[in-house]
Amino acid sequence: MVETKDTERILEILENLSDEALSVNLLKEFSEKNKKFGKLLLNQDSTLSHAEWKNMCNEAKNEMDEFLAKIESYSL
């Protein structure tokens, strides 16, 4: 999950975008990715091995990091 300070920064960037449609779409995507990552971190699926779970968490974190970098690029 994304830390509160990072969430605040992302929301600030999105609020300042001149393209409202883009802002809304990015906010939806951010919300979906953050929800997916949070659910995965809290996953209690006993059918997953620790290695599988860890790999899935790493993939979700990388995906989130790439997306956050994309949003940060709009603040330049």
Side-chain angles (χ1 to χ4, degrees):
M1 294 187 313
V2 179
E3 292 185 31
T4 303
K5 66 178 179 155
D6 294 330
T7 299
E8 290 172 0
R9 172 76 177 131
I10 296 306
L11 293 177
E12 179 183 331
I13 292 169
L14 295 177
E15 286 175 2
N16 291 318
L17 283 179
S18 59
D19 185 338
E20 287 184 29
L22 175 61
S23 179
V24 168
N25 287 333
L26 289 171
L27 181 59
K28 285 180 183 177
E29 189 174 352
F30 172 71
S31 179
E32 289 170 12
K33 288 181 185 302
N34 198 35
K35 180 179 174 182
K36 176 184 171 185
F37 187 37
K39 280 186 171 183
L40 186 56
L41 288 175
L42 300 174
N43 187 11
Q44 297 180 358
D45 184 350
S46 60
T47 63
L48 289 176
S49 71
H50 179 73
E52 291 171 319
W53 172 80
K54 185 173 169 99
N55 187 39
M56 291 172 72
C57 285
N58 288 339
E59 288 176 10
K61 178 161 182 4
N62 288 339
E63 186 178 318
M64 179 60 82
D65 289 344
E66 289 174 8
F67 183 73
L68 293 176
K70 175 182 173 181
I71 291 178
E72 284 285 342
S73 73
Y74 287 103
S75 70
L76 302 175

